[in-house]
Amino acid sequence: MKRLHVHVSVEDLSGSVRFYSALFGTEPTVAKPDYAKWMLDDPRVNFAISARGGKAGVDHLGIQVETPEELRQVYSRLQQAERPVLEEGATTCCYANSEKAWTSDPQGVLWETFLTTGDSICLRR
């Protein structure tokens, strides 16, 4: 089953963690000095925030899949969308090991498609 992914860049991580924890009614699933993530089931979303010096606001959207087959299906749909696709393959990002690809919609909104394969202590991105 797929899950929507939303990543927001924030200026005040601790204040944003308090806000989103209250909004979602739960503490983050992952909490790091520069990053927090909530894996919610209602609504089914992987909602992440980070304070890494980027412009505040929506950083990117994505689709997180649970199986390699779902990943192949989404990659196939990306090809049908006729937009450039950057297949990163196996990578480490946001404290997780993943297989992923990136594209953008016609307005330039970044979309990430990924399968998380495990946790990582290192941040890359």
Side-chain angles (χ1 to χ4, degrees), residues 80-101:
Q80 294 172 19
E82 299 178 354
R83 300 286 301 165
V85 176
L86 170 64
E87 290 191 35
E88 266 190 86
T91 188
T92 300
C93 176
C94 300
Y95 303 97
N97 297 318
S98 301
E99 176 87 17
K100 67 173 60 184

Side-chain angles (χ1 to χ4, degrees), residues 65-85:
V65 301
E66 293 183 353
T67 67
E69 176 58 29
E70 286 180 338
L71 189 63
R72 284 190 293 279
Q73 290 171 359
V74 175
Y75 277 9
S76 176
R77 290 197 305 267
L78 286 177
Q79 298 303 323
Q80 294 172 19
E82 299 178 354
R83 300 286 301 165
V85 176

Side-chain angles (χ1 to χ4, degrees), residues 4-116:
L4 182 66
H5 170 58
V6 177
H7 188 119
V8 175
S9 293
V10 301
E11 293 176 358
D12 176 6
L13 187 71
S14 61
S16 296
V17 166
R18 284 191 305 278
F19 173 81
Y20 288 112
S21 293
L23 178 65
F24 299 141
T26 188
E27 294 298 311
T29 308
V30 175
K32 302 292 183 182
D34 63 345
Y35 177 85
K37 175 174 69 176
W38 291 260
M39 293 293 284
L40 304 170
D41 289 323
D42 185 18
R44 190 161 170 78
V45 65
N46 168 340
F47 186 89
I49 61 175
S50 64
R52 300 185 187 138
K55 181 180 176 189
V58 174
D59 184 70
H60 66 272
L61 303 172
I63 298 172
Q64 181 178 14
V65 301
E66 293 183 353
T67 67
E69 176 58 29
E70 286 180 338
L71 189 63
R72 284 190 293 279
Q73 290 171 359
V74 175
Y75 277 9
S76 176
R77 290 197 305 267
L78 286 177
Q79 298 303 323
Q80 294 172 19
E82 299 178 354
R83 300 286 301 165
V85 176
L86 170 64
E87 290 191 35
E88 266 190 86
T91 188
T92 300
C93 176
C94 300
Y95 303 97
N97 297 318
S98 301
E99 176 87 17
K100 67 173 60 184
W102 292 88
T103 192
S104 61
D105 74 5
Q107 289 68 235
V109 175
L110 287 176
W111 278 85
E112 172 186 33
T113 303
F114 63 101
L115 169 66
T116 299

